[in-house]
Amino acid sequence: DGGITQSPKYLFRKEGQNVTLSCEQNLNHDAMYWYRQDPGQGLRLIYYSQIVNDFQKGDIAEGYSVSREKKESFPLTVTSAQKNPTAFYLCASSGMGHSGGYEQYFGPGTRLTVT
Amino acid sequence: AQSVTQLDSHVSVSEGTPVLLRCNYSSSYSPSLFWYVQHPNKGLQLLLKYTSAATLVKGINGFEAEFKKSETSFHLTKPSAHMSDAAEYFCVVSRRSVSGKLIFGQGTTLQVKP
């Protein structure tokens, strides 16, 4: 089945530790995205990548880092510099056409709790 | 600049009655518009999309939305609510640009009462 997988579903960390969230897609999509969702709020864009070995900051990139070494994979590292890391993290991908505006497909999410 | 406003944070309906979730958008360019649904602790699922073809868009699970440029609206409707429709719904706008970035509304929680 084609889709996006995120692991783990739940993640617990102590404050001050870096943690990496996995995102893999087998949809052959060029673009991938990371979002953060807090209770009662919409999604906020952390980072996005339109092509391998290239990525751009979204609206709330501080305290996060990413890499895009393979087309299928776009891991997100939540660093100790992120002041409020507890949230639900969603990964998405999109098959970018020439005119853009394509829908994004989402993974099941990872709920990160930092204490 | 683009923005999207979902006019109701919470909507409650009885099972079998119509659903209306309201969304207004602002865009300097011809937008693409989407509705997504999110069940608790799940990812987002695409319900339907508008990309400048027909203004009345039909989606999955009996949902549809109508693009009204004069009113800058893209309201989501369903003739008869089902208990399984209870979820969070997001109206989303995208500028047709290379980045493909989406702008999300704040979400509307749909409650369906038996």
Side-chain angles (χ1 to χ4, degrees), chain B residues 15 19 25 37 53-54 64 80 89 102 107:
Chain B
E15 190 175 21
V19 175
Y25 71 92
V37 61
E64 62 181 37
S80 176
Y89 291 80
L102 302 183

Side-chain angles (χ1 to χ4, degrees), chain A residues 101-103 105, chain B residues 33-35 46-51 54 57-59 74:
Chain A
Y102 277 57
E103 65 271 23
Y105 295 87
Chain B
L33 291 159
F34 311 89
W35 276 99
L46 180 68
L47 278 177
L48 50 80
K49 64 178 180 179
Y50 166 78
T51 55
V57 181
K58 294 189 183 299
F74 189 58

Side-chain angles (χ1 to χ4, degrees), chain A:
Chain A
D1 285 334
I4 302 175
T5 57
Q6 291 185 244
S7 60
K9 187 172 178 62
Y10 297 96
L11 191 54
F12 298 88
R13 281 293 182 270
K14 295 290 188 185
E15 197 173 311
Q17 293 178 334
N18 291 357
V19 59
T20 297
L21 281 59
S22 167
C23 177
E24 304 277 332
Q25 55 100 358
N26 61 4
L27 300 168
N28 199 32
H29 285 169
D30 288 313
M32 296 187 74
Y33 307 81
W34 273 107
Y35 294 90
R36 171 183 172 133
Q37 185 177 30
D38 294 285
Q41 298 191 29
L43 276 66
R44 293 183 289 169
L45 182 64
I46 304 172
Y47 268 98
Y48 65 101
S49 167
Q50 296 167 256
I51 197 168
V52 175
N53 292 323
D54 188 45
F55 48 83
Q56 286 78 40
K57 294 181 179 180
D59 301 317
I60 55 165
E62 185 176 351
Y64 299 97
S65 66
V66 293
S67 62
R68 185 86 187 277
E69 297 177 2
K70 298 186 299 182
K71 187 176 184 177
E72 314 82 65
S73 179
F74 191 42
L76 172 74
T77 297
V78 184
T79 75
S80 57
Q82 167 50 233
K83 295 190 186 324
N84 186 18
T86 294
F88 191 50
Y89 290 88
L90 288 157
C91 179
S93 71
S94 172
M96 296 299 297
H98 178 70
S99 60
Y102 277 57
E103 65 271 23
Q104 294 178 14
Y105 295 87
F106 286 80
T110 292
R111 185 166 297 282
L112 173 64
T113 303
V114 177
T115 57

